[in-house]
């Protein structure tokens, strides 16, 4: 049985996962210093969508997502295909940006070799089942959270409010665009949690905790290197870690502290992999799952990661794609389960 702490841990990781290599640089490129405002408003809006996910979990009760989709018949087949595509795209995105980020540490290591151990590990824990995946997440959470708090505390002393001022320099439509990006990137991965059976009551608290770390990280990025440089760097969240010094002599620990982002992405990729597996037909499920994961690996390494133009296309389209699938699937499931619950309250 999955514990509340395990649910909380996975939700926390999913909130932060899509900001590595995408969220921070994409949003600062649009609204610069007003990005902090976009993060705050996006968090408030995101709570509503998390609430909808929670209601779907409540309505489907002990049923799996697979069982609900079977009850929906033709519409369920459409949603199943859509959600499998959603999981595959998120898995491919995760592998792509993980290997690009890892290349900061492993400069001379080929991309295919960086992701290969990760693929083998993901296949192992996915085939062991959801309980194993969630236990791994709960073990990684304390380390990740401690590294996040440590890094943000150490970096606070290097911040300068003059780098952020003045605020509200962008037009309302531009700020709304950044709010959309934040909401999409922070909320869309929660669609993966529909594969679980129990009501995910820790989703909103975990979302708020994860969002607070993102908001403060955005503040630090802008206050330390300024909006212009934040827009130029692809991984500004990693660049500012280079400023960390403890007791004036412990430095160059950015690679250790950056493990918190590695953990975020690892759990996110593992959950996406498990989500795909849960939606596949029971017959030869593990075989088909392995094949799809390997295909995603090759696409991430040889089609997207190898060509910057393809990587850039995913960079700009993933928030739109993820939210589009989210806004199609969630209302359909919500309305179907609401009607079913009202028609048969004991079900």
């Amino acid at each position: 049985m999955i514990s509340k702490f395990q649910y909380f841990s996975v939700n926390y990781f999913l909130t932060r996962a899509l900001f590595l290599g995408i969220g921070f640089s994409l949003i600062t490129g649009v609204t610069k210093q007003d990005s902090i405002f976009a993060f705050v408003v996006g968090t408030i809006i995101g709570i509503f969508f998390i609430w909808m996910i929670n209601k779907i979990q409540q309505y489907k009760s002990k049923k799996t997502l697979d069982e609900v989709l079977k009850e929906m018949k033709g519409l369920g087949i459409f949603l199943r295909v859509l959600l499998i595509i959603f999981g595959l795209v998120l898995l491919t995105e995760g592998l792509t940006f993980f290997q690009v980020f890892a290349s900061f540490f492993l400069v001379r290591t080929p991309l295919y070799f960086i992701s290969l151990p990760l693929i083998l590990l993901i296949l192992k824990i996915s085939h062991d089942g959801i309980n194993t995946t969630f236990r791994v997440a709960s073990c990684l959470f304390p380390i990740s959270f401690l590294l996040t708090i440590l890094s943000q505390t150490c970096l606070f002393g290097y911040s300068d409010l003059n780098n952020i001022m003045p605020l509200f320099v962008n037009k309302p439509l531009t700020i709304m665009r950044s709010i959309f990006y934040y909401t999409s990137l922070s909320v869309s991965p929660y669609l993966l949690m529909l594969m679980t059976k129990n009501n995910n009551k820790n989703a909103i608290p975990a979302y708020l905790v994860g969002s607070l770390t993102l908001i403060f990280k955005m503040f630090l990025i802008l206050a330390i290197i300024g909006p212009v440089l934040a827009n130029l760097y692809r991984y500004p969240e990693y660049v500012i870690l280079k400023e960390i010094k403890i007791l004036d002599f412990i430095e160059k620990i950015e690679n250790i502290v950056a493990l918190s982002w590695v953990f975020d992405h690892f759990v996110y990729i593992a959950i996406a992999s498990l989500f795909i597996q849960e939606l596949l037909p029971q017959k030869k499920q593990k075989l088909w799952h392995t094949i799809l994961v390997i295909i995603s690996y090759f696409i991430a390494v040889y089609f997207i990661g190898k060509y910057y133009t393809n990587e850039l296309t995913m960079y700009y389209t993933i928030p739109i794609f993820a939210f589009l699938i989210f806004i199609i699937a969630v209302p359909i499931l919500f309305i179907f389960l609401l009607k079913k619950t009202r028609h048969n309250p004991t079900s």
Side-chain angles (χ1 to χ4, degrees), residues 234-302:
R234 183 59 178 277
Y235 291 88
E237 63 272 32
Y238 176 74
V239 171
I240 64 171
L241 294 179
K242 295 178 181 291
E243 300 290 335
I244 294 178
K245 291 182 181 180
I246 302 176
L247 302 176
D248 293 329
F249 69 91
I250 301 176
E251 55 184 19
K252 297 186 183 301
I253 61 171
E254 61 271 11
N255 290 348
I256 298 174
V257 179
L259 282 175
S260 62
W261 293 104
V262 174
F263 293 159
D264 292 344
H265 238 57
F266 171 73
V267 173
Y268 155 67
I269 293 170
I271 295 296
S273 171
L274 192 60
F275 181 77
I276 296 167
Q277 179 175 284
E278 292 293 316
L279 291 176
L280 292 173
Q282 292 295 320
K283 187 176 181 180
K284 297 184 179 179
Q285 184 185 70
K286 291 184 179 180
L287 174 62
W288 285 112
H289 171 254
T290 302
I291 292 172
L292 289 175
V293 169
I294 292 174
I295 291 174
S296 295
Y297 163 74
F298 278 102
I299 292 174
V301 173
Y302 295 106

Coordinates of all heavy atoms in Angstrom, one line a residue, residues 234-302:
R234 N 20.7 28.5 -20.8 CA 19.7 27.5 -21.0 C 19.3 26.9 -19.6 O 18.2 26.4 -19.4 CB 20.2 26.4 -21.9 CG 19.2 25.3 -22.2 CD 17.9 25.9 -22.8 NE 17.0 24.8 -23.1 CZ 17.0 24.1 -24.3 NH1 18.0 24.3 -25.2 NH2 16.1 23.2 -24.5
Y235 N 20.3 26.8 -18.7 CA 20.1 26.2 -17.4 C 20.5 27.3 -16.4 O 21.5 27.1 -15.6 CB 20.9 24.9 -17.2 CG 20.4 23.8 -18.0 CD1 20.8 23.6 -19.4 CD2 19.5 22.9 -17.5 CE1 20.4 22.5 -20.1 CE2 19.0 21.8 -18.3 CZ 19.5 21.6 -19.6 OH 19.0 20.6 -20.3
P236 N 19.7 28.4 -16.2 CA 20.1 29.4 -15.2 C 20.1 28.9 -13.8 O 20.8 29.3 -13.0 CB 19.1 30.5 -15.5 CG 17.9 29.8 -16.1 CD 18.5 28.7 -17.0
E237 N 19.2 27.9 -13.6 CA 19.1 27.3 -12.2 C 20.4 26.6 -11.8 O 20.7 26.5 -10.6 CB 17.9 26.3 -12.1 CG 18.0 25.1 -13.0 CD 17.4 25.3 -14.4 OE1 17.5 26.5 -14.9 OE2 16.9 24.4 -15.0
Y238 N 21.2 26.1 -12.8 CA 22.5 25.4 -12.6 C 23.6 26.5 -12.5 O 24.5 26.4 -11.6 CB 22.8 24.4 -13.7 CG 24.1 23.8 -13.5 CD1 24.4 22.8 -12.6 CD2 25.2 24.2 -14.4 CE1 25.6 22.2 -12.4 CE2 26.4 23.6 -14.3 CZ 26.6 22.6 -13.3 OH 27.9 22.0 -13.2
V239 N 23.5 27.5 -13.3 CA 24.5 28.5 -13.3 C 24.7 29.2 -12.0 O 25.8 29.5 -11.5 CB 24.2 29.6 -14.4 CG1 25.2 30.8 -14.3 CG2 24.3 28.9 -15.8
I240 N 23.5 29.6 -11.3 CA 23.6 30.3 -10.1 C 24.2 29.4 -8.9 O 24.7 29.9 -7.9 CB 22.3 30.9 -9.6 CG1 21.2 29.7 -9.4 CG2 21.8 31.9 -10.7 CD1 20.0 30.3 -8.7
L241 N 24.2 28.1 -9.1 CA 24.7 27.2 -8.1 C 26.2 27.4 -8.0 O 26.8 27.0 -7.0 CB 24.4 25.7 -8.4 CG 22.9 25.4 -8.3 CD1 22.7 23.9 -8.7 CD2 22.3 25.6 -6.9
K242 N 26.8 27.9 -9.1 CA 28.3 28.1 -9.1 C 28.7 29.2 -8.1 O 29.9 29.3 -7.7 CB 28.8 28.5 -10.5 CG 28.6 27.4 -11.5 CD 29.1 27.8 -12.9 CE 28.9 26.7 -13.9 NZ 29.8 25.6 -13.7
E243 N 27.7 30.0 -7.6 CA 28.0 31.1 -6.7 C 28.1 30.5 -5.2 O 28.6 31.3 -4.4 CB 26.9 32.1 -6.7 CG 26.7 32.8 -8.1 CD 27.9 33.7 -8.5 OE1 28.6 34.2 -7.5 OE2 28.2 33.8 -9.7
I244 N 27.7 29.3 -5.0 CA 27.6 28.8 -3.6 C 29.0 28.7 -3.0 O 29.9 28.1 -3.6 CB 26.9 27.5 -3.5 CG1 25.4 27.6 -3.9 CG2 27.0 26.9 -2.1 CD1 24.7 26.4 -3.9
K245 N 29.2 29.3 -1.8 CA 30.4 29.2 -1.0 C 29.9 29.0 0.5 O 29.1 29.8 1.0 CB 31.3 30.4 -1.1 CG 32.0 30.5 -2.5 CD 32.9 31.7 -2.5 CE 33.6 31.9 -3.9 NZ 34.5 33.1 -3.9
I246 N 30.4 28.0 1.1 CA 30.1 27.7 2.5 C 31.3 28.0 3.4 O 32.4 27.4 3.1 CB 29.6 26.3 2.7 CG1 28.4 26.0 1.8 CG2 29.3 26.0 4.1 CD1 27.9 24.6 1.8
L247 N 31.2 28.8 4.3 CA 32.3 29.2 5.2 C 33.5 29.8 4.5 O 34.6 29.7 5.0 CB 32.7 28.0 6.1 CG 31.6 27.3 6.9 CD1 32.2 26.1 7.6 CD2 31.1 28.3 7.9
D248 N 33.2 30.4 3.3 CA 34.2 31.1 2.5 C 35.4 30.2 2.0 O 36.3 30.7 1.4 CB 34.9 32.2 3.4 CG 33.9 33.3 3.7 OD1 33.0 33.6 2.9 OD2 34.0 33.9 4.8
F249 N 35.3 28.9 2.1 CA 36.3 28.0 1.5 C 35.7 26.8 0.9 O 36.4 26.1 0.1 CB 37.4 27.7 2.6 CG 36.9 26.7 3.6 CD1 37.0 25.4 3.5 CD2 36.3 27.2 4.8 CE1 36.5 24.5 4.5 CE2 35.8 26.4 5.8 CZ 36.0 25.0 5.6
I250 N 34.5 26.4 1.2 CA 33.9 25.3 0.5 C 33.1 25.8 -0.7 O 32.1 26.5 -0.6 CB 32.9 24.5 1.4 CG1 33.6 24.0 2.7 CG2 32.3 23.4 0.7 CD1 32.7 23.4 3.7
E251 N 33.6 25.5 -1.9 CA 33.0 26.0 -3.1 C 33.1 24.9 -4.2 O 33.5 23.8 -4.0 CB 33.7 27.2 -3.6 CG 35.2 27.1 -3.8 CD 35.9 28.4 -4.2 OE1 35.3 29.5 -3.9 OE2 37.0 28.3 -4.7
K252 N 32.6 25.2 -5.4 CA 32.5 24.3 -6.5 C 31.7 23.0 -6.1 O 32.1 21.9 -6.5 CB 33.9 24.0 -7.0 CG 34.7 25.1 -7.6 CD 36.0 24.7 -8.2 CE 36.7 25.9 -8.7 NZ 36.0 26.7 -9.7
I253 N 30.6 23.2 -5.4 CA 29.8 22.1 -5.0 C 28.5 22.0 -5.8 O 27.6 21.3 -5.5 CB 29.5 22.1 -3.5 CG1 28.7 23.4 -3.2 CG2 30.8 22.0 -2.7 CD1 28.2 23.4 -1.8
E254 N 28.5 22.8 -6.9 CA 27.2 22.9 -7.7 C 26.8 21.5 -8.3 O 25.6 21.2 -8.4 CB 27.4 23.9 -8.9 CG 28.4 23.6 -9.9 CD 29.8 24.2 -9.5 OE1 30.0 24.6 -8.4 OE2 30.7 24.1 -10.4
N255 N 27.8 20.7 -8.6 CA 27.4 19.3 -9.1 C 26.7 18.5 -8.1 O 25.9 17.6 -8.4 CB 28.6 18.6 -9.7 CG 29.1 19.3 -11.0 OD1 28.4 20.2 -11.5 ND2 30.3 19.0 -11.4
I256 N 27.1 18.7 -6.8 CA 26.5 17.9 -5.7 C 25.1 18.4 -5.5 O 24.1 17.7 -5.3 CB 27.4 17.9 -4.5 CG1 28.8 17.3 -4.7 CG2 26.7 17.3 -3.3 CD1 29.7 17.5 -3.6
V257 N 25.0 19.7 -5.4 CA 23.7 20.4 -5.0 C 22.7 20.1 -6.2 O 21.5 20.0 -5.9 CB 23.9 21.9 -4.8 CG1 22.5 22.5 -4.5 CG2 24.8 22.1 -3.6
A258 N 23.2 20.0 -7.4 CA 22.3 19.8 -8.6 C 21.7 18.5 -8.6 O 20.8 18.2 -9.4 CB 23.1 20.1 -9.9
L259 N 22.1 17.6 -7.7 CA 21.5 16.3 -7.6 C 20.0 16.4 -7.3 O 19.2 15.5 -7.7 CB 22.2 15.4 -6.5 CG 23.5 14.8 -6.9 CD1 24.1 14.1 -5.7 CD2 23.3 13.8 -8.0
S260 N 19.5 17.5 -6.7 CA 18.1 17.6 -6.4 C 17.3 17.6 -7.7 O 16.2 17.1 -7.8 CB 17.9 18.9 -5.6 OG 18.3 20.0 -6.3
W261 N 17.9 18.3 -8.7 CA 17.2 18.3 -10.0 C 17.3 17.0 -10.7 O 16.4 16.6 -11.5 CB 17.8 19.4 -10.9 CG 17.6 20.8 -10.4 CD1 18.5 21.6 -9.7 CD2 16.4 21.5 -10.4 NE1 17.9 22.8 -9.4 CE2 16.6 22.8 -9.8 CE3 15.1 21.2 -10.9 CZ2 15.6 23.7 -9.7 CZ3 14.1 22.2 -10.8 CH2 14.3 23.4 -10.2
V262 N 18.4 16.3 -10.5 CA 18.5 14.9 -11.1 C 17.5 14.0 -10.5 O 16.8 13.2 -11.2 CB 19.9 14.4 -10.9 CG1 20.0 12.9 -11.3 CG2 21.0 15.2 -11.6
F263 N 17.2 14.1 -9.2 CA 16.2 13.3 -8.6 C 14.8 13.6 -9.1 O 14.0 12.8 -9.3 CB 16.3 13.5 -7.0 CG 17.5 13.0 -6.4 CD1 17.9 13.4 -5.2 CD2 18.3 12.0 -7.0 CE1 19.1 12.9 -4.6 CE2 19.4 11.5 -6.4 CZ 19.8 11.9 -5.2
D264 N 14.6 15.0 -9.2 CA 13.3 15.4 -9.8 C 13.0 14.7 -11.1 O 11.9 14.1 -11.3 CB 13.3 16.9 -10.0 CG 13.3 17.7 -8.7 OD1 13.0 17.1 -7.7 OD2 13.6 18.9 -8.8
H265 N 14.0 14.7 -12.0 CA 13.8 14.2 -13.3 C 13.7 12.7 -13.3 O 13.0 12.1 -14.1 CB 14.9 14.7 -14.2 CG 14.4 15.4 -15.4 ND1 13.6 16.6 -15.3 CD2 14.6 15.2 -16.8 CE1 13.3 17.0 -16.5 NE2 13.9 16.2 -17.4
F266 N 14.5 12.1 -12.5 CA 14.5 10.6 -12.4 C 13.1 10.1 -12.0 O 12.6 9.2 -12.6 CB 15.5 10.1 -11.5 CG 15.4 8.6 -11.2 CD1 15.8 7.7 -12.1 CD2 14.9 8.2 -10.0 CE1 15.7 6.3 -11.9 CE2 14.8 6.8 -9.7 CZ 15.2 5.9 -10.7
V267 N 12.5 10.7 -10.9 CA 11.2 10.2 -10.5 C 10.2 10.5 -11.5 O 9.3 9.7 -11.8 CB 10.9 10.9 -9.1 CG1 9.4 10.6 -8.7 CG2 11.8 10.5 -8.0
Y268 N 10.3 11.6 -12.1 CA 9.3 12.0 -13.2 C 9.3 11.0 -14.4 O 8.3 10.6 -14.9 CB 9.6 13.5 -13.6 CG 9.2 13.9 -15.0 CD1 7.9 14.0 -15.4 CD2 10.2 14.2 -16.0 CE1 7.6 14.4 -16.7 CE2 9.9 14.6 -17.2 CZ 8.6 14.7 -17.6 OH 8.2 15.1 -18.9
I269 N 10.5 10.7 -14.8 CA 10.7 9.7 -15.9 C 10.2 8.3 -15.5 O 9.5 7.7 -16.3 CB 12.2 9.6 -16.3 CG1 12.6 10.9 -17.0 CG2 12.4 8.5 -17.3 CD1 14.1 11.0 -17.2
A270 N 10.5 7.9 -14.3 CA 10.0 6.6 -13.8 C 8.5 6.6 -13.7 O 7.9 5.6 -14.1 CB 10.6 6.4 -12.4
I271 N 7.8 7.7 -13.3 CA 6.4 7.7 -13.2 C 5.8 7.7 -14.6 O 4.7 7.0 -14.8 CB 5.9 9.0 -12.4 CG1 6.4 8.9 -10.9 CG2 4.4 9.1 -12.4 CD1 5.8 7.7 -10.2
A272 N 6.4 8.4 -15.5 CA 5.9 8.4 -16.9 C 6.0 7.1 -17.5 O 5.0 6.6 -18.2 CB 6.7 9.4 -17.7
S273 N 7.1 6.4 -17.2 CA 7.2 5.0 -17.7 C 6.2 4.1 -17.2 O 5.6 3.3 -17.9 CB 8.6 4.5 -17.4 OG 8.8 3.1 -17.6
L274 N 5.9 4.2 -15.9 CA 4.9 3.3 -15.2 C 3.5 3.6 -15.7 O 2.7 2.7 -15.9 CB 5.0 3.6 -13.7 CG 4.3 2.6 -12.8 CD1 4.8 1.2 -13.0 CD2 4.4 3.0 -11.3
F275 N 3.3 4.9 -16.0 CA 2.0 5.3 -16.5 C 1.7 4.7 -17.9 O 0.6 4.2 -18.1 CB 2.0 6.9 -16.7 CG 0.7 7.4 -17.2 CD1 -0.4 7.6 -16.4 CD2 0.6 7.9 -18.5 CE1 -1.6 8.2 -16.8 CE2 -0.6 8.4 -19.0 CZ -1.7 8.6 -18.2
I276 N 2.7 4.6 -18.7 CA 2.6 4.0 -20.0 C 2.3 2.5 -19.9 O 1.4 1.9 -20.5 CB 3.8 4.2 -20.9 CG1 4.1 5.7 -21.2 CG2 3.8 3.4 -22.2 CD1 5.4 6.0 -21.7
Q277 N 3.0 1.9 -19.0 CA 2.8 0.4 -18.7 C 1.4 0.1 -18.3 O 0.8 -0.9 -18.7 CB 3.9 0.0 -17.7 CG 3.8 -1.5 -17.4 CD 4.9 -2.0 -16.4 OE1 6.0 -2.2 -16.8 NE2 4.5 -2.2 -15.2
E278 N 0.9 0.9 -17.4 CA -0.4 0.7 -16.8 C -1.5 0.8 -17.9 O -2.6 0.2 -17.7 CB -0.7 1.7 -15.7 CG 0.1 1.5 -14.4 CD -0.1 0.2 -13.7 OE1 -1.3 -0.1 -13.5 OE2 0.8 -0.5 -13.3
L279 N -1.3 1.5 -18.9 CA -2.3 1.7 -19.9 C -2.3 0.7 -21.1 O -3.1 0.7 -21.9 CB -2.3 3.2 -20.5 CG -2.7 4.3 -19.5 CD1 -2.5 5.6 -20.2 CD2 -4.1 4.1 -19.1
L280 N -1.2 0.0 -21.1 CA -1.0 -1.0 -22.2 C -1.9 -2.3 -21.9 O -2.2 -2.6 -20.8 CB 0.5 -1.4 -22.3 CG 1.4 -0.3 -22.8 CD1 2.8 -0.8 -22.8 CD2 1.0 0.1 -24.3
P281 N -2.2 -3.0 -23.0 CA -3.0 -4.3 -22.8 C -2.2 -5.2 -21.9 O -1.0 -5.3 -21.9 CB -3.1 -4.8 -24.2 CG -2.9 -3.6 -25.1 CD -2.0 -2.7 -24.4
Q282 N -3.0 -6.0 -21.1 CA -2.4 -6.9 -20.2 C -1.5 -8.0 -20.8 O -0.5 -8.4 -20.3 CB -3.5 -7.6 -19.3 CG -4.2 -6.6 -18.4 CD -3.3 -6.1 -17.3 OE1 -2.5 -6.8 -16.8 NE2 -3.5 -4.8 -17.0
K283 N -2.0 -8.4 -22.0 CA -1.2 -9.5 -22.7 C 0.1 -8.9 -23.2 O 0.2 -7.9 -24.0 CB -2.0 -10.0 -23.9 CG -1.4 -11.2 -24.6 CD -2.3 -11.7 -25.7 CE -1.7 -12.9 -26.4 NZ -2.6 -13.4 -27.5
K284 N 1.2 -9.5 -22.8 CA 2.6 -9.1 -23.1 C 2.8 -7.6 -22.8 O 3.5 -6.9 -23.5 CB 2.8 -9.4 -24.6 CG 2.8 -10.8 -25.0 CD 3.2 -11.1 -26.4 CE 3.1 -12.5 -26.8 NZ 3.5 -12.8 -28.2
Q285 N 2.2 -7.2 -21.7 CA 2.3 -5.8 -21.3 C 3.8 -5.3 -21.1 O 4.2 -4.3 -21.6 CB 1.5 -5.6 -20.0 CG 1.5 -4.1 -19.5 CD 0.8 -4.0 -18.2 OE1 1.3 -4.4 -17.2 NE2 -0.4 -3.4 -18.2
K286 N 4.6 -6.1 -20.3 CA 5.9 -5.7 -20.0 C 6.8 -5.7 -21.3 O 7.7 -4.9 -21.4 CB 6.5 -6.7 -19.0 CG 5.9 -6.5 -17.6 CD 6.6 -7.4 -16.6 CE 6.0 -7.2 -15.2 NZ 6.6 -8.1 -14.2
L287 N 6.5 -6.6 -22.2 CA 7.3 -6.6 -23.5 C 7.0 -5.4 -24.3 O 8.0 -4.7 -24.7 CB 6.9 -7.9 -24.3 CG 7.5 -8.0 -25.7 CD1 9.0 -8.0 -25.6 CD2 6.9 -9.2 -26.5
W288 N 5.7 -5.0 -24.4 CA 5.4 -3.8 -25.2 C 5.9 -2.6 -24.5 O 6.3 -1.6 -25.1 CB 3.9 -3.7 -25.4 CG 3.4 -4.7 -26.4 CD1 2.5 -5.8 -26.2 CD2 3.6 -4.6 -27.8 NE1 2.3 -6.4 -27.4 CE2 2.9 -5.7 -28.4 CE3 4.4 -3.8 -28.7 CZ2 3.0 -5.9 -29.8 CZ3 4.4 -4.0 -30.0 CH2 3.7 -5.1 -30.6
H289 N 5.9 -2.6 -23.2 CA 6.4 -1.4 -22.4 C 7.9 -1.3 -22.7 O 8.3 -0.2 -22.9 CB 6.1 -1.6 -20.9 CG 6.7 -0.6 -20.1 ND1 7.8 -0.9 -19.3 CD2 6.5 0.7 -19.8 CE1 8.2 0.1 -18.6 NE2 7.4 1.1 -18.9
T290 N 8.6 -2.4 -22.6 CA 10.0 -2.3 -22.8 C 10.3 -1.8 -24.2 O 11.2 -0.9 -24.4 CB 10.7 -3.7 -22.7 OG1 10.4 -4.2 -21.4 CG2 12.2 -3.7 -22.9
I291 N 9.6 -2.2 -25.2 CA 9.8 -1.8 -26.6 C 9.6 -0.3 -26.7 O 10.4 0.4 -27.3 CB 8.9 -2.6 -27.6 CG1 9.3 -4.0 -27.7 CG2 8.9 -1.9 -29.0 CD1 8.4 -4.9 -28.4
L292 N 8.5 0.2 -26.1 CA 8.2 1.6 -26.2 C 9.2 2.5 -25.5 O 9.6 3.6 -26.0 CB 6.8 1.9 -25.6 CG 5.6 1.4 -26.5 CD1 4.3 1.6 -25.7 CD2 5.5 2.0 -27.8
V293 N 9.7 2.0 -24.4 CA 10.7 2.8 -23.6 C 12.0 2.8 -24.4 O 12.6 3.9 -24.5 CB 11.0 2.2 -22.2 CG1 12.2 2.8 -21.6 CG2 9.7 2.3 -21.3
I294 N 12.4 1.7 -25.1 CA 13.6 1.7 -25.9 C 13.4 2.6 -27.1 O 14.4 3.3 -27.5 CB 13.9 0.3 -26.3 CG1 14.3 -0.6 -25.1 CG2 15.0 0.3 -27.4 CD1 14.5 -2.0 -25.4
I295 N 12.3 2.6 -27.7 CA 12.0 3.6 -28.8 C 12.1 5.0 -28.4 O 12.8 5.8 -29.1 CB 10.6 3.3 -29.4 CG1 10.6 2.0 -30.1 CG2 10.2 4.4 -30.4 CD1 9.2 1.6 -30.6
S296 N 11.6 5.3 -27.2 CA 11.7 6.7 -26.6 C 13.2 7.1 -26.4 O 13.6 8.2 -26.7 CB 10.9 6.8 -25.3 OG 9.5 6.6 -25.5
Y297 N 13.9 6.1 -26.0 CA 15.4 6.3 -25.7 C 16.1 6.7 -27.0 O 16.8 7.6 -27.1 CB 16.0 5.0 -25.1 CG 17.5 5.0 -25.1 CD1 18.3 5.7 -24.3 CD2 18.1 4.1 -26.0 CE1 19.6 5.6 -24.4 CE2 19.4 4.0 -26.1 CZ 20.2 4.8 -25.3 OH 21.6 4.7 -25.3
F298 N 15.8 5.9 -28.1 CA 16.5 6.2 -29.3 C 16.0 7.5 -29.9 O 16.9 8.2 -30.5 CB 16.2 5.0 -30.3 CG 17.1 3.9 -30.1 CD1 16.7 2.7 -29.5 CD2 18.5 3.9 -30.6 CE1 17.5 1.6 -29.3 CE2 19.3 2.8 -30.4 CZ 18.9 1.7 -29.8
I299 N 14.8 7.9 -29.8 CA 14.3 9.1 -30.3 C 15.0 10.3 -29.5 O 15.4 11.3 -30.1 CB 12.8 9.2 -30.1 CG1 12.1 8.3 -31.1 CG2 12.3 10.7 -30.4 CD1 10.6 8.2 -30.9
A300 N 15.1 10.1 -28.2 CA 15.7 11.2 -27.4 C 17.2 11.4 -27.7 O 17.7 12.5 -27.7 CB 15.5 10.8 -25.9
V301 N 17.9 10.3 -28.0 CA 19.3 10.3 -28.2 C 19.6 10.7 -29.6 O 20.4 11.6 -29.9 CB 20.0 9.0 -27.8 CG1 21.5 9.0 -28.3 CG2 19.8 8.7 -26.4
Y302 N 19.0 10.0 -30.6 CA 19.5 10.2 -32.0 C 18.6 11.1 -32.8 O 19.0 11.5 -33.9 CB 19.5 8.8 -32.6 CG 20.5 7.9 -32.0 CD1 20.1 6.8 -31.2 CD2 21.9 8.1 -32.2 CE1 21.1 6.0 -30.6 CE2 22.8 7.2 -31.7 CZ 22.4 6.2 -30.8 OH 23.4 5.4 -30.3

